[in-house]
Amino acid sequence: MESFEDLGLPPDLVEALAAEGIERPTAVQSAAIPVLRRGNNLLLASGPGSGTLVAWGPPILDRISPEGTGPAVLAVTPTRESAARLAESLQRLGQPVGHTVAALGAPWALPGHARVLFGTAGDVLAASRAGRIDLGAVEVLIVDQMDRLERLGDLQPLEEVLDYLPKDGQRIVVALPVTAGVRDFVERHARRAATVPPRPAEESERSASPRRGTVRFRVTPGSREEAALHTVAELLDDDARHVLLFFATEDRAADVGDYLTLHGFQAGAPGDPSVPVWLAVEELEARSASEGTEGLVVVSCDVPADPDSLDRRHGLTAGGVVLAFPREMTHLRDIARRTGYAMEGYALPRPRDDEASVFRRLLADAIESDDAAPYLLLLEPLFERYDPAEVAAAAAALLRKKMPPTVVAAPASRPERGGGRPAPTAWVKLFLSVGERDGLTPGDMVGAITGETGLPSGKIGKIEIRDSHSLVEVQEPVARQIISALNGTTIRGRAVRADFDRGRGRAGGSPRGRPPRRG
């Protein structure tokens, strides 16, 4: 198997990777690193879970000088959360070799002076227009999860960011799936780009793959340690004699092993008959030590990086489970198709009957109210890729985890006044300085308000999007909170000014307390 030294990376970067437990490249990394070290453009047809950051990060850190006071590398991401997460990961590799890394939209010191800068297209555009960052010396542009950028409608801000960059820089586009929009962008802005994997599997090739079996998956929005603990406990309760856990790195295996031991589950090396849980990184060695074991179930605590890895792990026994973050599901589905595995969800334990009936009643109330309407706009891109029932199940799972037991046990009572009628709520109208010319939609507005304030969407009423501005009706008790939270933020790459609508004063909305219908 190739090493990072074989791929030409210098010793200091190899040591930085080893310090993070990354010692052997995945197939995607082996193919991408030589291409990028030569300065070529690249279309990386992979998603989170395949090792994309290590595929482009180390070779770019090797090519770019750490000297300088502004960004030489710009990485555009779909969300602020992904920008911060990727920046933290790359900082661990860049810091030992003298590089500085930062992210916009998160607490980072002097982001305009970092050599590698992460940010959403909107945040990058706003910071550049305000003079907080200088993009004139950017040598490398990375567009991460461009398929997701396309679904979020952020391609126009990305195109505007390109106007601030030198025309002859290196371009790296990461996307899965590779849509027509992604290919069009690559053809226009990343001429003669190599593609890794070299020949992405066509749908006909995928469907022709021999069926190898079924792999179950569990989507975990929390920590891998906690997900591994619950899964191990359930499998052992279901009469598994041993659970073999696979990991991407030795460090991850040690962390999860310590967490399991803390909760009373003893863990050891594959093949050890004295412990119920086996921890493995080296797939072929683990297979050799575990073959023929009765009552063995395989769990991938890190999503397999490629089809070969999936088959080496889950071809060992039937009934295995893959633990995946939501962002890794596209990659997992892709490698399962290419390997010939059917996928099915690994359900959480069923709730008690009394909890289930109350929970269904709460959901029915939400469906029949006006509160759910904006979320149809937010979820619409998911309906293009997943069955609506699957999206609903995932949303319900997330909701139940966040609800305290008292909420699940009984419906919340509503404040009443004389006659048993709910007390009315006053509504006011707000002015926001973004509108139709900025490409704004009602879904953008609802997402911005709920995302910046943490308020439920039921606090928002009618939305009027006009050419240069928007008017939004909100419940009066939270109006000032919304104004304070939105001022200084960006929506669709445009800085927002929020205030009470002076044209109609501070009154508006429904006099009877019912939330106005959203437009």
Side-chain angles (χ1 to χ4, degrees):
M1 181 181 289
E2 275 187 315
S3 67
F4 286 105
E5 294 97 327
D6 297 332
L7 296 175
L9 291 181
D12 49 2
L13 272 171
V14 173
E15 291 174 8
L17 287 164
E20 295 299 313
I22 305 169
E23 298 183 351
R24 288 195 176 92
T26 66
V28 164
Q29 293 158 4
S30 292
I33 288 174
V35 174
L36 296 178
R37 289 188 68 247
R38 292 192 292 269
N40 295 328
N41 293 336
L42 178 68
L43 170 58
L44 189 55
S46 299
S50 63
T52 54
L53 181 64
V54 174
W56 66 257
I60 295 305
L61 293 177
D62 182 31
R63 286 193 59 243
I64 301 301
S65 169
E67 304 297 329
T69 58
V73 179
L74 175 65
V76 176
T77 64
T79 65
R80 288 179 173 178
E81 182 273 335
S82 59
R85 173 173 47 81
L86 293 172
E88 289 171 3
S89 297
L90 193 63
Q91 174 74 330
R92 297 189 183 98
L93 301 179
Q95 196 168 34
V97 296
H99 279 282
T100 53
V101 181
L104 296 171
W108 287 82
L110 302 174
H113 292 266
R115 295 298 281 161
V116 183
L117 182 64
F118 288 80
T120 66
D123 283 343
V124 171
L125 200 57
S128 183
R129 286 171 174 169
R132 296 195 302 271
I133 60 174
D134 180 8
L135 303 179
V138 169
E139 301 176 42
V140 183
L141 169 69
I142 299 100
V143 184
D144 186 59
Q145 296 185 72
M146 187 171 177
D147 55 297
R148 190 176 174 193
L149 280 172
E150 186 178 24
R151 293 196 305 274
L152 293 173
D154 282 346
L155 292 190
Q156 184 56 41
L158 174 61
E159 295 278 357
E160 294 181 43
V161 167
L162 284 161
D163 293 338
Y164 289 84
L165 305 181
K167 303 301 182 186
D168 56 351
Q170 187 177 15
R171 305 287 187 253
I172 303 166
V173 176
V174 183
L176 186 71
V178 179
T179 65
V182 170
R183 292 196 181 278
D184 175 67
F185 181 90
V186 170
E187 289 173 4
R188 290 185 294 110
H189 298 293
R191 301 281 180 85
R192 296 184 293 278
T195 300
V196 170
R199 292 191 305 165
E202 297 297 334
E203 198 63 40
S204 59
E205 293 174 350
R206 292 172 181 167
S207 60
S209 299
R211 286 296 170 194
R212 299 178 183 271
T214 299
V215 63
R216 296 180 290 175
F217 65 91
R218 170 170 285 178
V219 178
T220 170
S223 70
R224 291 192 196 272
E225 288 86 354
E226 188 173 351
L229 173 65
H230 284 286
T231 304
V232 165
E234 291 163 23
L235 292 173
L236 292 176
D237 282 345
D238 285 343
D239 297 328
R241 296 181 60 184
H242 296 281
V243 180
L244 172 58
L245 305 181
F246 278 105
F247 301 89
T249 68
E250 295 282 359
D251 289 349
R252 187 76 55 77
D255 290 342
V256 172
D258 290 344
Y259 192 76
L260 293 172
T261 301
L262 182 67
H263 289 80
F265 294 94
Q266 298 301 311
D272 183 348
S274 66
V275 294
V277 181
W278 298 341
L279 310 176
V281 175
E282 299 292 342
E283 294 159 349
L284 295 179
E285 291 180 11
R287 279 187 66 110
S288 176
S290 307
E291 275 183 315
T293 301
E294 292 185 6
L296 176 68
V297 179
V298 173
V299 176
S300 286
C301 291
D302 290 291
V303 174
D306 52 51
D308 287 343
S309 179
L310 176 65
D311 194 42
R312 284 194 294 266
R313 295 179 183 185
H314 292 274
L316 182 59
T317 63
V321 182
V322 179
L323 306 180
F325 289 132
R327 62 178 180 269
E328 297 173 330
M329 284 304 299
T330 301
H331 165 69
L332 178 58
R333 292 178 188 278
D334 180 66
I335 62 172
R337 284 194 301 265
R338 291 161 59 191
T339 316
Y341 281 90
M343 289 182 60
E344 65 179 39
Y346 181 44
L348 292 165
R350 288 189 60 185
R352 298 194 306 271
D353 287 344
D354 56 342
E355 289 185 0
S357 61
V358 171
F359 188 67
R360 284 193 292 268
R361 186 162 62 251
L362 291 174
L363 287 176
D365 289 344
I367 292 170
E368 293 171 2
S369 74
D370 290 337
D371 293 353
Y375 289 96
L376 290 175
L377 295 169
L378 297 177
L379 295 174
E380 201 168 24
L382 289 175
F383 296 151
E384 298 174 4
R385 298 174 56 203
Y386 305 105
D387 187 276
E390 187 176 4
V391 175
L398 292 174
L399 176 62
R400 289 193 73 255
K401 289 181 180 180
K402 293 181 180 295
M403 294 172 67
T406 53
V407 176
V408 177
S413 60
R414 296 181 179 178
E416 294 185 351
R417 56 177 183 162
R421 293 173 59 190
T425 301
W427 292 77
V428 296
K429 186 172 290 187
L430 304 185
F431 168 92
L432 285 89
S433 61
V434 287
E436 187 176 354
R437 69 184 182 189
D438 303 306
L440 191 70
T441 67
D444 294 329
M445 187 67 73
V446 173
I449 294 174
T450 58
E452 294 292 339
T453 64
L455 294 169
S457 64
K459 304 290 185 182
I460 307 167
K462 184 178 180 181
I463 298 173
E464 299 178 49
I465 298 180
R466 302 184 181 179
D467 182 51
S468 60
H469 65 281
S470 299
L471 301 176
V472 183
E473 290 180 344
V474 302
Q475 292 186 2
E476 186 174 35
V478 298
R480 292 191 181 276
Q481 179 185 351
I482 293 172
I483 290 171
S484 176
L486 289 184
N487 271 317
T489 62
T490 60
I491 304 178
R492 290 283 183 175
R494 184 63 61 92
V496 177
R497 180 173 63 84
D499 199 353
F500 289 103
D501 177 34
R502 305 302 178 185
R504 293 181 57 184
R506 294 180 54 181
S510 170
R512 300 177 63 183
R514 180 176 176 82
R517 184 174 61 85
R518 295 183 181 90

